[in-house]
Amino acid sequence: MSVQEVLPLGGVATRQSGDYRADHRLVADMVKPGSKVLDVGCGEGDLLQLLEMRGIDGRGIELSREGVNRCVAKGLAVVQGDADTDLVNYPDDAFDYVILSQTLQATRQPRVVLENLLRIGRRAIVSFPNFGFWKMRLQLLIGGHMPRTENLPATWYDTANIHFCTIKDFVELCDEINVKMERAVALDLYGRPVPLNLPWWVWNMFGEQGVFLLSRGGGK
Amino acid sequence: MGSVKSIPSPAISTDDRSHEVDHPSSEVMHFGADQPLRLDCGVDLSPFQIAYQTYGELNADRSNAILICHALTGDQHVANVHPVTGKPGWWETLVGPGRPIDPKHYFIICSNVIGGCMGSTGPASINPATGKVWGLDFPVITIPDMVRAQAMLIDRLGIDTLFAVVGGSMGGMQVLQWTAAYPARVYSALAIACSTRHSAQNIAFHELGRQAVMADPDWHNGGYADRGIHPHRGLAVARMAAHITYLSDAALHRKFGRRMQDRELPTFSFDADFQVESYLRYQGSSFVERFDANSYLYLTRAMDYFDIAADHGGVLAKAFAGIKTRLCVVSFTSDWLFPTSESRALVHALNASSARVSFAEIETDRGHDAFLLDVPEFFDISRAFLQSAGKARGLKDS
């Protein structure tokens, strides 16, 4: 695993900091200008809007009608749909990048979704909450209950998130399906990148979320 | 059974209706022998006329024109009192002051389709070659023919690119045809409760309607006009059957259930005991007041023939290859005439063609007719789509 540059980030991850969320800015910086991007699970279109501001041709898929309405109101091209069922209908190589931001854990078949991302797009950018994060571990270890955080506040029985994984799990899945990791960044609780010179287990422990730029083939 | 009432005769005479056919209470554009309409069936229709309404003002750079495409039994009176029925415009929920399509911001055009019976040339019009009503001598028309005629009207109005083309059902088919055939002339397109092709089930329902018209002894093989009569019973049955497909089981149940009409007990006859029966009879009889039976045959046929992919080797994505038009597709959960699955197939094709498309399915139990009713979520998305497209096009205050 080789990790290249990491951007200077500030503010709190997954919250509004300044104009855009830290993880959104990190994802947007991974996309080459002028690219064509599909954002799967685009929510209310904040990331898409940031991409469009940078001259990137963005499209979105969103499950909730309210989300779609908000996106359309922003002038974004967003289609109501489900990552689990709709991605199969998208042709090969339709996009330069397919983004799955904080959605992987809510899919029924993360592996199939990941394979589809890299079929539809030449590259994929995936971010997800890291269940190996120390706070999560502590809640289960000490508290003896399923972890709940500020960003994942739902209780175990009413959460939409059904396939949590750790950064380590995700890296193993990428190996298994022969996905090449071009960049990997772990963000801490404050949206700052975990220093690169630290070993993997530190990432897995102190990364509140992982952000990965993936491409096809190659393996490790 | 002498007391059994069948479908009542229309309250408005055939004369009122046929007057609108050639002398409509709206603007009319005439196209002479030098400008024939080339039809898909190979006939050059000439001369012909298109009746249309406009609302609002065209701006200085001619960039704010919206074309509204009407559904099967609609017409150009989208947002004004109908000259025959005296009822409000058919899409006053969407079009008008304070509505998502506001004449304050847009120059709104709505034309009666070719083949219609409210002022555009159709089977109820006078054939200039014979001086008699066209009837079944009128050539069979298609959705692309309707759109070609609209394009000629838009040319005459001096508009190069429409800001938006908007329509539901058959109107939505025209929107898709406009987008596929004239992508450079359509800045944005709002296609509602429609499909890129008519399904076998829909063709089946239309055939039922046509057979009802043709089974009426007053139809006379389409030559009823010469006899001064109208096959109103057959057309009313056709409308009743079609009307059921526009609703949903849930909507019918909510509206009528099994409630009786003006009585407590069944009459043990075939009179309209149930409210739903008298509602359908009313729908049938009020429809024949304003619509021509042959026109109904032609327009249903046009919908049946519609299949955009067929013109592109069966590959829908090819029909929209490289288009720059901003599209918004809307479907309704309880629409069984144009179910969401068909809108999704369209959206997937548009995505495959890299088109800039948005899509939303609106939750409602009101069936296909929902696009004509007061459904706030639908208005919200329409307004949002047009406003953002207007902003992208540099329209002020839209």
Side-chain angles (χ1 to χ4, degrees):
Chain A
M1 155 82 47
S2 73
V3 176
Q4 291 130 42
E5 49 161 338
V6 173
L7 299 136
L9 295 164
V12 180
T14 69
R15 283 223 211 120
Q16 295 290 331
S17 68
D19 288 321
Y20 292 97
R21 276 164 39 177
D23 60 323
H24 282 176
R25 278 185 285 137
L26 175 62
V27 168
D29 284 338
M30 288 180 174
V31 177
K32 282 189 189 138
S35 310
K36 192 159 187 258
V37 173
L38 177 67
D39 185 1
V40 180
C42 62
E44 298 189 355
D46 291 342
L47 174 59
L48 271 178
Q49 209 167 27
L50 176 61
L51 292 169
E52 295 244 309
M53 272 175 56
R54 297 183 178 193
I56 291 156
D57 187 13
R59 303 281 191 277
I61 302 178
E62 169 56 32
L63 192 58
S64 84
R65 201 170 296 118
E66 300 74 38
V68 175
N69 277 3
R70 296 243 165 91
C71 289
V72 172
K74 291 173 183 167
L76 302 166
V78 172
V79 164
Q80 192 178 18
D82 185 335
D84 275 305
T85 53
D86 289 8
L87 291 178
V88 290
N89 297 302
Y90 282 75
D92 297 357
D93 293 317
F95 292 88
D96 298 313
Y97 298 82
V98 182
I99 296 171
L100 193 68
S101 170
Q102 306 287 326
T103 303
L104 184 72
Q105 73 281 359
T107 62
R108 282 187 292 279
Q109 299 194 72
R111 182 188 166 136
V112 176
V113 168
L114 193 59
E115 284 170 338
N116 267 318
L117 297 185
L118 281 156
R119 178 184 61 76
I120 299 164
R122 275 168 274 281
R123 288 196 167 82
I125 301 171
V126 179
S127 75
F128 57 87
N130 173 28
F131 227 64
F133 185 50
W134 65 271
K135 270 194 157 179
M136 301 278 198
R137 297 188 190 199
L138 215 58
Q139 286 193 40
L140 191 57
L141 185 70
I142 309 293
H145 57 78
M146 284 298 282
R148 286 165 67 184
T149 67
E150 207 175 315
N151 295 322
L152 299 166
T155 47
W156 64 272
Y157 52 83
D158 64 2
T159 179
N161 300 313
I162 51 177
H163 280 123
F164 279 120
C165 67
T166 68
I167 285 177
K168 194 178 172 196
D169 291 328
F170 184 75
V171 170
E172 282 170 10
L173 174 63
C174 289
D175 279 349
E176 200 179 314
I177 58 176
N178 199 25
V179 168
K180 187 177 158 197
M181 289 195 165
E182 295 196 2
R183 276 181 69 184
V185 181
L187 299 177
D188 70 13
L189 202 52
Y190 305 102
R192 294 176 307 218
V194 176
L196 294 178
N197 48 0
L198 297 177
W200 257 110
W201 67 266
V202 179
W203 279 44
N204 202 26
M205 183 79 87
F206 294 102
E208 196 265 343
Q209 57 175 316
V211 183
F212 294 82
L213 174 63
L214 312 168
S215 62
R216 294 170 199 164
K220 261 193 175 175
Chain B
M1 286 297 174
S3 70
V4 173
K5 281 172 265 168
S6 73
I7 296 157
S9 295
I12 293 168
S13 74
T14 308
D15 290 348
D16 293 338
R17 186 184 51 236
S18 50
H19 185 76
E20 288 289 331
V21 171
D22 291 306
H23 306 285
S25 331
S26 67
E27 300 283 324
V28 187
M29 199 69 89
H30 298 275
F31 295 85
D34 55 326
Q35 276 186 294
L37 174 64
R38 181 139 296 179
L39 300 174
D40 281 341
C41 66
V43 172
D44 279 352
L45 183 64
S46 168
F48 72 100
Q49 67 181 41
I50 301 174
Y52 66 102
Q53 286 284 23
T54 67
Y55 313 83
E57 301 289 331
L58 191 61
N59 62 8
D61 52 0
R62 299 171 176 264
S63 60
N64 69 333
I66 294 185
L67 177 69
I68 309 275
C69 301
H70 69 72
L72 175 65
T73 63
D75 50 42
Q76 68 273 39
H77 302 288
V78 57
N80 57 264
V81 172
H82 196 278
V84 176
T85 64
K87 288 180 183 164
W90 58 269
W91 221 356
E92 277 200 335
T93 49
L94 190 78
V95 182
R99 308 292 187 191
I101 301 177
D102 191 330
K104 198 166 85 185
H105 307 305
Y106 307 113
F107 178 58
I108 303 158
I109 308 154
C110 183
S111 72
N112 184 216
V113 294
I114 205 84
C117 55
M118 285 299 289
S120 294
T121 300
S125 308
I126 302 291
N127 178 356
T130 62
K132 289 182 174 177
V133 171
W134 273 99
L136 292 196
D137 291 337
F138 193 72
V140 167
I141 48 133
T142 64
I143 302 285
D145 292 337
M146 295 174 186
V147 167
R148 221 171 283 128
Q150 285 167 345
M152 290 171 78
L153 171 68
I154 298 305
D155 283 339
R156 278 275 188 92
L157 294 173
I159 296 159
D160 182 45
T161 304
L162 290 160
F163 165 61
V165 183
V166 180
S169 197
M170 185 181 88
M173 290 176 161
Q174 293 162 57
V175 170
L176 298 175
Q177 177 63 27
W178 259 101
T179 310
Y182 305 97
R185 301 192 69 180
V186 182
Y187 186 79
S188 63
L190 179 53
I192 304 145
C194 65
S195 168
T196 58
R197 60 177 180 179
H198 220 216
S199 71
Q201 176 177 276
N202 292 352
I203 296 169
F205 276 119
H206 274 176
E207 175 61 2
L208 169 69
R210 283 189 294 264
Q211 288 299 329
V213 169
M214 295 188 227
D216 189 320
D218 287 343
W219 184 58
H220 293 290
N221 207 29
Y224 51 84
D226 295 339
R227 295 170 170 82
I229 51 173
H230 191 253
H232 69 265
R233 282 164 300 186
L235 183 61
V237 171
R239 175 62 171 181
M240 287 166 76
H243 200 80
I244 298 168
T245 70
Y246 302 153
L247 306 173
S248 70
D249 185 29
L252 276 174
H253 185 77
R254 184 160 39 76
K255 209 165 177 178
F256 307 107
R258 291 182 50 84
R259 283 189 296 279
M260 300 241 167
Q261 180 78 24
D262 306 326
R263 70 202 67 179
E264 305 267 307
L265 297 167
T267 59
F268 296 101
S269 76
F270 297 105
D271 208 349
D273 282 4
F274 294 100
Q275 282 182 8
V276 65
E277 292 175 308
S278 78
Y279 169 75
L280 280 181
R281 289 183 190 192
Y282 169 76
Q283 288 296 335
S285 66
S286 62
F287 179 60
V288 301
E289 287 173 6
R290 65 179 176 89
F291 218 85
D292 174 68
N294 283 339
S295 197
Y296 192 82
L297 302 182
Y298 278 82
L299 297 188
T300 54
R301 204 73 187 129
M303 286 181 81
D304 293 349
Y305 281 144
F306 190 58
D307 184 354
I308 286 193
D311 299 334
H312 295 84
V315 183
L316 189 53
K318 282 189 187 163
F320 300 105
I323 63 163
K324 298 273 186 284
T325 305
R326 303 164 79 98
L327 279 125
C328 184
V329 177
V330 178
S331 72
F332 298 93
T333 48
S334 52
D335 185 347
W336 56 292
L337 209 51
F338 293 102
T340 294
S341 57
E342 295 189 6
S343 288
R344 279 198 195 283
L346 162 64
V347 168
H348 292 142
L350 287 165
N351 270 320
S353 353
S354 289
R356 194 180 169 82
V357 60
S358 297
F359 164 65
E361 182 187 27
I362 308 293
E363 181 139 16
T364 173
D365 73 350
R366 301 169 92 170
H368 179 64
D369 251 5
F371 81 95
L372 296 170
L373 304 173
D374 189 14
V375 179
E377 274 187 310
F378 162 53
F379 300 145
D380 288 348
I381 205 157
S382 301
R383 193 189 298 268
F385 173 71
L386 291 171
Q387 277 180 348
S388 64
K391 206 178 284 175
R393 205 178 190 209
L395 293 186
K396 279 179 196 152
D397 309 321
S398 62

